[in-house]
Amino acid sequence: MWTWFYKLASPPSVYAAAGALAPWFLATAAVAIVYGLVDGLVFAPPDYQQGDAFRIVYVHAPSAWMSLFSYTSMALAGAIALVWRIKIGHAVAAASAPIGASFTLLALVTGSLWGKPMWGTYWAWDPRLTSELILLFLYFGVMSLRSAFEDPARGDRAAALLGIVGLVNVPIIHFSVTWWNSLHQGATVAKIGKPAMSLSMLWPLLAMLLGFMLFYGAVLCMRLQGEVLNRERQAKWVREAIKS
Amino acid sequence: MSAAFWSMGGYARYVWPCMALAGVVLAWNLWSARAYRDAARQRARRALAMSPGETA
């Protein structure tokens, strides 16, 4: 089983799989995002308290979810690379970081734009907002640390370690609205039992989440191909791969 | 589309910039990932051209 796993995680296999998967991920992401946006902006009813301002949720919540998903993927890939010495893990972590950082920035800015009409301010040092801002700094830290070393292998290891340490922030972000008094609303979709949202509002949100996940998959595959080539450019298989 | 849709119940100045920013972030991700991959391919081609017999 381990032989199969190591073979699957070999750079040529990953490069080929990423190239094959990226267009499919991208096409299905486009369908899900277009459906989610049309249904969410045109057909979903306005919220009884927030009116049409609630429609910001269709880009804010998926980007916030993806900021956490992307960070967790990055940290786990780094951990796999450190523990099992599977080098492709470092490539996955390096590819994931800029995507996650961009989703985190999007979540912060859209949250700020949503906060102004609802809370009366663009920013508050609220537990959820502050921990999400720390996540953005963690992404910047991981990316800077990776490129701060002359030896790329040392940079990979240092970035993986910081990524793993920073993973502690992920449950803090998720549970911040229940652990502390927060301006931010509590869980609505990921609520145990029943989501506190009508289905006509929920479906487009789930479509947007799926679309953002598939989009992350597509962009990760493209970046991963670049990472693998940068790390393996002298390898024999690269000659064949870049001809095709 | 009706004016009511574009006005978003008076919240247009918050809703539409969020949608536009999301579009910009998605487009940037797509563009930068493609550019990164293409640049890596170019570098790999150059490296192979400079050391045609090398294998690893």
Side-chain angles (χ1 to χ4, degrees), chain A residues 113-183:
Chain A
L113 282 165
W114 197 1
K116 180 64 180 168
M118 294 302 121
W119 304 336
T121 180
Y122 285 109
W123 183 262
W125 292 102
D126 170 272
R128 171 61 70 84
L129 278 65
T130 308
S131 52
E132 186 75 11
L133 182 64
I134 291 170
L135 185 74
L136 182 65
F137 293 151
L138 276 167
Y139 273 120
F140 289 156
V142 167
M143 288 189 288
S144 306
L145 197 57
R146 188 183 306 282
S147 54
F149 290 84
E150 272 188 44
D151 177 10
R154 287 184 68 197
D156 279 339
R157 283 197 296 274
L161 273 175
L162 179 60
I164 293 164
V165 171
L167 200 57
V168 73
N169 192 40
V170 171
I172 292 175
I173 296 172
H174 183 73
F175 293 109
S176 58
V177 288
T178 47
W179 289 346
W180 298 291
N181 284 326
S182 177
L183 272 174

Side-chain angles (χ1 to χ4, degrees), chain A residues 5 67-94 96-97 139 142 146 156-157 159-168 170-171 216 220:
Chain A
F5 185 69
S67 70
L68 299 182
F69 181 83
S70 183
Y71 191 90
T72 308
S73 309
M74 181 187 79
L76 289 180
I80 287 168
L82 283 183
V83 175
W84 286 287
R85 313 258 173 182
I86 297 175
K87 284 191 290 183
I88 205 73
H90 288 307
V92 172
S96 192
Y139 273 120
V142 167
R146 188 183 306 282
D156 279 339
R157 283 197 296 274
L161 273 175
L162 179 60
I164 293 164
V165 171
L167 200 57
V168 73
V170 171
Y216 167 78
L220 182 76

